Amino acid sequence: MIGRSVSALAQALTEKTISSVELTQLYLDRIARHNPLLNAFITVDGEKSLAQAKAADEMRAAGLATPLTGIPLAQKDIFCAKGWLTTCGSKMLNNFVSPYDASIIERFNAAGAVILGKTNMDEFAMGSSNETSYYGAVKNPWDMARVPGGSSGGSAAAVSALLAPAATGTDTGGSIRQPAALCNLTGLKPTYGVVSRYGMIAYASSLDQGGPMARSAQDCALLLNVMAGFDERDSTSLDRTKEDYSREFSAVASDKPLAGLRIGLPREFFGTSERSGCAPEVMQLVDAAIAEYRRLGAQLVDISLPNMKLSVPSYYVIAPAEASSNLSRFDGVRYGYRAPDYSDLNEMYARSRAQGFGAEVKRRILIGTYVLSHGYYDAYYLQAQRIRRLIANDFVAAFKQCDVIMGPTSPSIAFKLGEKAADPVQMYLSDIYTIAVNLAGLPGMSIPCGFANGLPAGLQLIGDYFSEARLLNVAHRYQQANAWHLQRPQGID
Ligand code: GLN
């Protein structure tokens, strides 16, 4: 059973080859065996998971099954789940048992999916390697000496090591796509506003978006079908007609299933100057994937995103600014960590925050407070917002010439644990290809495209607003022609 796709597992449940209780137990056993080494989960609660699985089996028996009924899923620990410890990777929340469900958790619960556990992540989703987690670094199942990527690294390691059939992630600047690339997974960051942020602990609200991480585009579509939808409790949630994200998958009897598709290749990704920023072995795999797309019928278009180089600098003004405001709620008063010793209220605030937050989070709060302060607001924050608009306009212009934009997801394969941890700027540059997509609010995916030195690399697919179904199909056609996404890490039995 382990290793089957979500749809194959659903079929096994329908055919009664296995029950959800049995399936959940199989995954719990694997977690018990491998998690001590991988550190992919912060919280596992077998009793709770099995109770949900039992209810799912009853739901099936009553003829009320949905495509995800009885499927165990790993949930990133940024999503509040009622009765579950919800830490967001921080000491600040290490005693926080959520009294309510995030919107997407509600939706998965209603569909009959089972919460398999809460996955490790960079503290408050700030990071690209999972090393900022208070609960310790996550190991990459492809090489235990390397990072799984971040911030959704626990989810990526869990699915990649087959400790869960699929998982959720969140992506503020690349945190679904980059770990997907480093762990050989398929991950999708939807258009901003498609998935509700209610109950998803806020990092940078104008950029944050939840999405699926799985082994194939088909499985991602199944999860997104449940996750997406209007929610009046999130003021940026979009009220749109419900879509079936797998609607374009139906078979086409053609060896050129993507005939007519225009793939835009940004000069800024493939030109000589930026190429030097991308490891040659990654670029080679990306080039080969694009050649495969040509064989599938697509045509290549040379495009330009002239303001691309400003995406990392503007993001590192906007994201910390929003974070400094969002994280002001963690004051030791109502919930979360409170320093044991203090003499007055101000000292209680100061000590709780000083002891509860890790170094990277503090760095972002300081930067954010600085760029929002009187005298610097115009010079930094407003300027960054203007650049954000220019970047979004670049994409609008590009999508007049092409249907999908492609490039690398991450400039390198998985790096060694500790390699970049002491150098924040090097770490920030891991998201050089993903951040612009968040600034523009567009949907983006990463799909496996091969291996360099035995480690996976990702191809990034960027679509126009609300083109998730098309993106998923473009990914799916590639996955029908290749088996990269089916490769599994050796050494984890
Ligand atoms: N690495 C980026 C950051 O630290 C993106 C993280 C994310 O997408 N949550 O901000």
Side-chain angles (χ1 to χ4, degrees):
M1 276 305 148
I2 300 291
R4 290 200 195 176
S5 67
V6 171
S7 50
L9 291 175
Q11 198 183 339
L13 290 168
T14 308
E15 289 165 357
K16 296 199 170 59
T17 321
I18 195 167
S19 70
S20 175
V21 168
E22 290 163 340
L23 184 63
T24 303
Q25 189 62 56
L26 277 182
Y27 279 104
L28 287 170
D29 291 346
R30 276 186 74 77
I31 294 171
R33 194 155 75 239
H34 298 295
N35 197 54
L37 206 58
L38 287 168
N39 200 23
F41 286 86
I42 293 174
T43 306
V44 181
D45 185 335
E47 228 171 88
K48 268 206 197 61
S49 303
L50 290 169
Q52 257 194 318
K54 188 160 173 281
D57 283 332
E58 286 160 10
M59 197 171 155
R60 277 197 178 267
L64 300 170
T66 76
L68 290 188
T69 303
I71 304 286
L73 297 175
Q75 299 290 351
K76 184 174 181 178
D77 208 20
I78 197 168
F79 291 108
C80 289
K82 193 172 175 176
W84 286 82
L85 181 68
T86 299
T87 70
C88 216
S90 183
K91 178 180 180 183
M92 187 54 101
L93 288 174
N94 81 352
N95 59 0
F96 178 66
V97 175
S98 177
Y100 74 107
D101 281 326
S103 185
I104 67 130
I105 298 285
E106 257 176 26
R107 287 171 164 272
F108 280 125
N109 286 346
V114 172
I115 302 178
L116 197 49
K118 305 291 296 291
T119 57
N120 205 342
M121 53 180 286
D122 279 301
E123 185 176 7
F124 286 104
M126 299 174 187
S128 308
S129 66
N130 230 294
E131 292 167 294
T132 74
S133 170
Y134 174 65
Y135 303 89
V138 178
K139 314 270 178 359
N140 188 319
W142 292 86
D143 177 348
M144 299 284 181
R146 291 175 190 264
V147 304
S151 63
S152 313
S155 290
V159 179
S160 163
L162 307 184
L163 306 191
T168 55
T170 62
D171 192 312
T172 303
S175 280
I176 287 177
R177 290 162 287 159
Q178 188 256 14
L182 271 40
C183 290
N184 207 46
L185 296 183
T186 305
L188 167 68
K189 179 205 98 73
T191 307
Y192 183 78
V194 161
V195 171
S196 169
R197 291 181 299 106
Y198 177 79
M200 179 176 122
I201 296 169
Y203 161 17
S205 310
S206 77
L207 301 156
D208 299 341
Q209 191 61 195
M213 302 176 78
R215 289 174 54 239
S216 67
Q218 270 181 314
D219 284 355
C220 281
L222 283 175
L223 265 69
L224 188 60
N225 276 346
V226 174
M227 296 175 82
F230 176 61
D231 177 4
E232 61 185 12
R233 296 166 301 184
D234 170 1
S235 61
T236 58
S237 170
L238 295 165
D239 195 356
R240 307 184 75 246
T241 335
K242 188 109 191 104
E243 299 183 36
D244 173 8
Y245 292 102
S246 58
R247 65 180 181 273
E248 295 191 18
F249 291 164
S250 42
V252 251
S254 157
D255 58 347
K256 295 213 180 306
L258 295 176
L261 181 81
R262 298 168 304 165
I263 297 176
L265 301 179
R267 244 165 277 160
E268 293 73 15
F269 286 2
F270 294 93
T272 42
S273 64
E274 299 288 329
R275 234 173 217 267
S276 55
C278 184
E281 66 272 19
V282 172
M283 206 35 114
Q284 238 170 36
L285 294 168
V286 168
D287 286 341
I290 288 165
E292 177 78 50
Y293 269 107
R294 283 189 67 176
R295 284 193 284 280
L296 294 172
Q299 96 198 46
L300 307 183
V301 188
D302 176 34
I303 60 160
S304 177
L305 300 169
N307 295 293
M308 190 69 203
K309 61 180 176 301
L310 301 175
S311 63
V312 173
S314 60
Y315 173 90
Y316 278 99
V317 171
I318 293 168
E322 293 185 21
S324 72
S325 163
N326 274 326
L327 270 56
S328 65
R329 76 192 65 187
F330 301 105
D331 56 6
V333 176
R334 286 150 298 176
Y335 49 82
Y337 180 78
R338 182 184 295 177
D341 305 306
Y342 48 86
S343 51
D344 61 20
L345 184 62
N346 270 330
E347 201 173 74
M348 193 275 280
Y349 290 149
R351 288 197 179 173
S352 299
R353 288 169 68 80
Q355 294 164 19
F357 289 136
E360 184 61 29
V361 172
K362 285 179 191 156
R363 183 178 294 127
R364 309 267 177 125
I365 292 174
L366 286 175
I367 296 172
T369 309
Y370 180 80
V371 300
L372 288 176
S373 61
H374 182 72
Y376 295 103
Y377 183 89
D378 288 1
Y380 295 110
Y381 185 70
L382 268 190
Q383 200 64 5
Q385 292 290 15
R386 290 194 183 104
I387 292 168
R388 181 177 191 172
R389 170 57 58 197
L390 293 177
I391 290 169
N393 288 347
D394 283 355
F395 280 109
V396 171
F399 283 120
K400 294 204 167 95
Q401 295 169 265
C402 65
D403 307 304
V404 182
I405 295 172
M406 289 190 190
T409 303
S410 161
S412 70
I413 50 176
F415 43 93
K416 291 242 167 72
L417 285 154
E419 189 179 324
K420 298 188 183 180
D423 185 345
V425 173
Q426 273 311 308
M427 191 68 89
Y428 298 170
L429 289 171
S430 325
D431 300 311
I432 189 161
Y433 296 113
T434 50
I435 274 176
V437 172
N438 301 73
L439 289 168
L442 292 164
M445 281 188 82
S446 182
I447 60 173
C449 70
F451 295 83
N453 308 324
L455 292 167
L459 174 75
Q460 188 177 201
L461 279 50
I462 305 168
D464 205 348
Y465 298 105
F466 308 115
S467 65
E468 285 82 359
R470 171 188 270 169
L471 272 186
L472 285 160
N473 184 46
V474 170
H476 175 59
R477 298 301 165 195
Y478 180 79
Q479 294 182 335
Q480 283 186 313
N482 282 283
W484 299 126
H485 65 295
L486 299 176
Q487 306 306 307
R488 297 178 194 172
Q490 302 294 307
I492 296 173
D493 54 342

